[in-house]
Amino acid sequence: MSSLRTAPRPRRWGLWLVVLACAVCLGMSAFQLWRAHVKAQRYDQIQAAIASGPVSLNEVQARGGDLGALPLHTLTLRGTWLPEHTLFLDNQIRRRWVGYHVLTPFRLEGSALVVLVNRGWVQAPRLRSDLPQVVTTPGLVQLTGQARPFPQRVFELAPDVSPGRVWQHVTEDRYRARSGLAATDRIAPFLLLQLSPSEDGLAREWEEPQHPALHHLGYAAMWLVFALLAIGYGWLSRSRP
């Protein structure tokens, strides 16, 4: 008799576990929705700033403005190229052709601030040992581009320790350590994708940044599916004899 009375307990414990799992999944889904809302508000503010027109980086630098607030803004710059420090970002595919992204530092006029500019794509020479010949305008140049954050996460099978001009990835820390610039130069905390035309033969076809809320919405949907699976499992377990 005692064994018959205690038999339903495992099923009761299973029900509570299903309720707990469902509550956790719904809570995680709500958290992801909140993250999506916060990032969407920030993204909308940035898009409004972009729509308001380009910002002069020379003026921001002159008045001591916050450079960290500029990523995703359209900027105008006046200064000179530093072609001797040009880098080639490897394994860049455009229309099924292998090539490089050409990255050249740009020093602002009358300032020690240097911005690393992605000038565009160039096809790789037939021989791997050769580097493309890139034309760089000498003297004072007016430039327009869009500020982008340095990549935060890169996938590497092995550390990129090559001291040459061909790099696999460009992160902020790596560039600060290996740029070869003068010690007096100050590196801007962002990359610049060149938008203004130039007679350098490079292709400039930049992808629009993805809305930052999209992946959080995907995570929210995933947690909702987990909650539904937990409910379905609990219902099937309850209906068993």
Side-chain angles (χ1 to χ4, degrees), residues 20-161:
L20 178 61
C22 186
V24 170
C25 292
L26 290 175
M28 291 300 297
S29 180
F31 173 73
Q32 293 296 336
L33 289 174
W34 173 78
R35 290 284 292 165
H37 175 69
V38 171
K39 290 196 174 184
Q41 285 185 325
R42 176 59 178 163
Y43 183 80
D44 290 341
Q45 292 173 354
I46 293 175
Q47 291 299 98
I50 296 174
S52 65
V55 177
S56 172
L57 184 59
N58 296 75
E59 294 181 3
V60 173
Q61 167 66 12
R63 65 172 184 265
D66 182 14
L67 300 180
L70 294 178
L72 294 182
H73 284 65
T74 300
L75 306 178
T76 60
L77 301 81
R78 187 174 61 257
T80 54
W81 293 108
L82 303 176
E84 66 274 15
H85 297 291
T86 293
L87 305 175
F88 295 93
L89 195 59
D90 203 1
N91 297 320
Q92 303 300 315
I93 309 298
R94 177 179 179 267
R95 300 177 183 177
R96 300 182 181 181
W97 292 95
V98 179
Y100 303 95
H101 277 177
V102 181
L103 280 67
T104 304
F106 187 89
R107 183 183 286 128
L108 264 64
E109 181 186 20
S111 171
L113 183 66
V114 175
V115 180
L116 184 60
V117 180
N118 189 334
R119 300 168 56 188
W121 181 91
V122 64
Q123 186 175 338
R126 190 172 62 175
L127 295 179
R128 181 70 178 176
S129 57
D130 295 338
L131 289 178
Q133 299 297 316
V134 180
V135 176
T136 303
T137 305
L140 197 62
V141 175
Q142 187 80 18
L143 185 67
T144 302
Q146 187 181 62
R148 293 278 183 91
F150 276 92
Q152 298 297 317
R153 298 177 183 177
V154 295
F155 176 76
E156 294 179 326
L157 296 177
D160 182 11
V161 296

Side-chain angles (χ1 to χ4, degrees), residues 121-237:
W121 181 91
V122 64
Q123 186 175 338
R126 190 172 62 175
L127 295 179
R128 181 70 178 176
S129 57
D130 295 338
L131 289 178
Q133 299 297 316
V134 180
V135 176
T136 303
T137 305
L140 197 62
V141 175
Q142 187 80 18
L143 185 67
T144 302
Q146 187 181 62
R148 293 278 183 91
F150 276 92
Q152 298 297 317
R153 298 177 183 177
V154 295
F155 176 76
E156 294 179 326
L157 296 177
D160 182 11
V161 296
S162 173
R165 300 176 67 185
V166 177
W167 291 27
Q168 299 298 320
H169 302 284
V170 177
T171 63
E172 184 174 2
D173 291 340
R174 182 175 299 174
Y175 186 67
R176 290 183 183 278
R178 297 167 47 190
S179 67
L181 297 172
T184 55
D185 287 329
R186 186 163 60 94
I187 299 172
F190 53 81
L191 289 167
L192 191 80
L193 304 185
Q194 182 177 343
L195 300 176
S196 53
S198 179
E199 296 181 1
D200 51 18
L202 302 178
R204 284 175 275 273
E205 299 173 353
W206 311 119
E207 294 181 359
E208 290 296 323
Q210 188 181 41
H211 198 295
L214 293 179
H215 68 279
H216 289 290
L217 294 175
Y219 291 150
M222 178 188 70
W223 284 109
L224 282 176
V225 171
F226 288 161
L228 292 174
L229 290 175
I231 293 172
Y233 174 79
W235 178 262
L236 291 176
S237 299

